[in-house]
Structure formats: structure tokens, C-alpha cells
């Protein structure tokens, strides 16, 4: 049976989260002491993920703070999490990566990346396939949330993703990312380009196998859309891709950079 919070315990956690947002020094000390006490109970982390992903009646800053406290617990104590607690957290993250709130989506993405950084890319085999499958969702929030998480994973684990230890998932991921270079959303396109950017300098084989397609799509993207978009973060990502690619295909990249810059 799926874990459910005790109402009294839930109210205690919510009060702690509210208190932790207080600027009062004495209150902050009391919060830290209470956190240390609660961290002795493994299901405290279940309460934190529950507030983040399921308690939509709460305000977004409180829900996000719950996720950030959980992230810190993962960094410090993940090896001590009981398997059922770790599995519950991972399941809730993937089931709620498409939360309507950009803040909550980003917090879940950070949590996923933190778990992955604890060696879980090897022991969480469904993570990358599921995130890649969720990119196909017709729901914008699900696609954007999944891409946000994948971008963080690519930034933190680029070498591991191109290794035999994971059976080289980039062979599937790079062609998938390239499909989104012409997505209708600038944010989604920027995520896709940023993901691929992580593998240019290292000349990942999966990217080299698709380098002509990469350069072609960058040309198409820059020519038809970049000048129509005012978001600096987006144009910066595109230009970075063109500049980085100069290390791999100088002639094509130089042509691209001349057009874009």
C-alpha cells in the first residue's frame, strides 16, 4: 500500500517549514535543532516529498523549501535511506515532474539530479528512459520539467553518460535532443541545445555520429527563429552551441557564428 502521511505529523512538518522561513535568529536555531531530531526518523523524508509533490494546497515557496531540505538530506544521508523511502521519493519525483508551477518543476529537477549524483544513475535504470519518454508528452509542463532535469543531469554527469558503465545512453539521447531543436517553444529549444552543448568539447561519439545533423539544425534554428526571439538566455545558448562546435567542425561552425554574431 502506498505511503500516506499521518495528519498530526504532517502539520508538525508544515509548521517547521513555516518557521524556517522566519528571519528571527532564535527561531532559526530552533528549526535546526528540530530538523536534526526529525532526521532520525526515516519517514521524515517521505513527508518532505509529499509536501513538495502532493500538497498543492500549500504555497509554492513552502513546497519548494520542503524539496530543498530533502535535497540537503539526500546529499548528507542518502546512503542511510531505507529502500522503500528512496523508492517512494524517486517515484514521486518522476510522477510529478510536470507540476504546473515552474518553481516546483525546477525543485523536483534539482532533487532528481542530486539523487542521480549519489550513484543512482547506475541503480535507477528507469530514470533516463522515462525522462526521455516524457519529452514526447503533449503537456508542455511535463516536457519542460523533464528537459530541465535532463539538462542538469547532462551538466553533472556528461562523462558517465558517454561511458560503457551505463551502456552509452547518449546513443539514444543525442538524436532525441536534436529532434527538439525546432520545437515551437523557445524554452524547450534552449533546453535541447544546452543538453547537447555539454558533449561538444569532449567530442562524445554519439554527437560525432550526428554532427552533420547538429550543425544543420543549428543553421536552421538560427536563420529562422533566433532573430525573432528576444530572450537573451535563449540566444546565448544558441551562440554558445555554434562557438563550441568550432572545435569539431570549424568551417560549418564559423559560418554559423558569422550569421548569429
Amino acid at each position: 500500500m502506498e505511503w500516506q502521511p499521518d495528519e498530526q505529523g504532517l502539520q508538525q512538518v508544515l509548521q517547521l517549514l513555516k518557521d524556517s522561513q522566519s528571519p528571527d535568529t532564535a527561531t532559526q536555531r530552533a528549526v535546526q535543532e528540530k530538523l536534526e531530531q526529525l532526521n532520525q526518523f526515516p519517514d521524515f523524508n517521505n513527508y518532505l516529498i509529499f509536501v513538495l509533490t502532493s500538497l498543492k494546497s500549500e504555497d509554492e515557496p513552502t513546497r519548494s523549501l520542503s524539496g530543498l531540505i530533502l535535497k540537503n538530506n539526500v546529499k548528507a544521508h542518502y546512503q542511510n535511506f531505507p529502500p522503500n523511502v528512496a523508492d517512494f521519493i524517486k517515484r514521486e519525483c518522476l510522477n510529478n515532474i510536470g507540476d504546473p508551477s515552474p518553481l516546483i518543476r525546477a525543485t523536483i529537477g534539482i532533487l532528481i539530479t542530486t539523487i542521480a549524483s549519489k550513484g543512482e544513475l547506475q541503480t535507477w535504470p528507469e530514470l533516463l528512459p522515462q525522462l526521455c519518454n516524457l519529452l514526447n508528452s503533449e503537456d508542455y509542463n511535463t516536457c519542460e520539467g523533464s528537459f530541465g532535469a535532463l539538462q542538469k543531469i547532462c551538466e553533472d554527469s556528461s562523462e558517465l553518460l558517454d561511458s560503457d558503465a551505463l551502456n552509452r545512453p547518449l546513443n539514444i539521447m543525442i538524436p532525441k535532443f536534436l529532434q527538439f531543436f525546432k520545437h515551437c517553444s523557445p524554452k524547450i529549444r534552449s533546453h535541447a541545445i544546452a543538453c547537447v552543448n555539454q558533449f561538444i568539447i569532449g567530442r562524445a561519439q554519439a554527437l560525432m555520429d550526428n554532427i552533420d545533423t547538429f550543425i544543420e539544425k543549428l543553421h536552421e534554428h538560427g536563420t529562422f527563429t533566433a532573430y525573432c526571439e528576444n530572450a537573451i538566455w535563449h540566444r546565448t545558448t544558441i551562440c554558445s552551441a555554434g562557438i563550441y562546435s568550432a572545435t569539431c567542425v570549424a568551417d560549418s561552425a564559423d559560418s554559423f557564428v558569422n550569421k548569429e554574431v
Side-chain angles (χ1 to χ4, degrees):
M1 191 173 87
E2 193 75 350
W3 181 89
Q4 290 294 324
D6 171 75
E7 184 60 31
Q8 183 177 1
L10 180 60
Q11 291 306 314
Q12 290 179 357
V13 171
L14 287 174
Q15 187 58 54
L16 179 70
L17 293 170
K18 300 291 186 184
D19 290 344
S20 62
Q21 298 175 62
S22 169
D24 180 70
T25 303
T27 301
Q28 285 296 324
R29 275 200 301 267
V31 166
Q32 289 302 316
E33 291 175 2
K34 187 66 174 176
L35 279 174
E36 291 177 7
Q37 294 172 12
L38 290 174
N39 274 322
Q40 304 302 313
F41 302 94
D43 70 343
F44 173 53
N45 296 297
N46 284 0
Y47 282 92
L48 293 175
I49 191 66
F50 181 84
V51 173
L52 172 64
T53 60
S54 300
L55 209 60
K56 302 186 190 299
S57 58
E58 281 298 315
D59 60 85
E60 292 179 10
T62 297
R63 292 174 61 199
S64 179
L65 177 60
S66 183
L68 294 176
I69 291 173
L70 177 55
K71 179 207 73 170
N72 289 337
N73 286 350
V74 167
K75 290 180 70 173
H77 310 296
Y78 189 73
Q79 69 277 7
N80 298 324
F81 283 20
N84 63 316
V85 171
D87 289 345
F88 180 66
I89 293 170
K90 291 189 288 189
R91 189 164 57 250
E92 286 297 291
C93 283
L94 288 175
N95 287 343
N96 293 277
I97 194 67
D99 192 279
S101 162
L103 175 62
I104 301 304
R105 289 199 302 274
T107 305
I108 293 173
I110 290 170
L111 183 54
I112 287 174
T113 308
T114 305
I115 294 172
S117 73
K118 304 299 287 188
E120 285 297 290
L121 279 179
Q122 290 97 324
T123 57
W124 193 359
E126 68 271 26
L127 174 61
L128 295 176
Q130 190 161 343
L131 287 176
C132 286
N133 284 335
L134 289 172
L135 297 181
N136 298 323
S137 173
E138 295 182 359
D139 176 63
Y140 169 83
N141 294 331
T142 299
C143 181
E144 195 279 325
S146 300
F147 243 133
L150 282 166
Q151 181 178 335
K152 295 181 182 71
I153 291 171
C154 289
E155 290 169 357
D156 291 350
S157 306
S158 59
E159 292 186 6
L160 184 59
L161 292 172
D162 194 32
S163 70
D164 290 331
L166 294 180
N167 295 318
R168 299 191 179 276
L170 282 190
N171 292 336
I172 296 173
M173 294 167 68
I174 292 292
K176 186 77 170 181
F177 296 154
L178 292 174
Q179 294 174 15
F180 287 85
F181 275 35
K182 296 181 69 175
H183 194 274
C184 61
S185 163
K187 187 71 177 292
I188 298 297
R189 291 199 294 271
S190 185
H191 278 315
I193 295 169
C195 284
V196 176
N197 276 359
Q198 302 303 317
F199 305 101
I200 295 175
I201 297 299
R203 296 173 180 258
Q205 188 59 49
L207 178 57
M208 295 300 99
D209 291 343
N210 293 274
I211 196 66
D212 291 340
T213 303
F214 171 59
I215 296 299
E216 178 185 351
K217 288 185 178 292
L218 277 181
H219 274 282
E220 292 174 359
H221 188 100
T223 301
F224 295 114
T225 64
Y227 286 113
C228 299
E229 294 162 355
N230 294 321
I232 294 175
W233 51 265
H234 182 56
R235 294 194 59 188
T236 299
T237 303
I238 298 168
C239 290
S240 295
I243 293 168
Y244 292 156
S245 64
T247 63
C248 304
V249 278
D251 293 341
S252 295
D254 286 346
S255 172
F256 172 78
V257 172
N258 288 335
K259 289 180 180 179
E260 289 302 297
V261 179

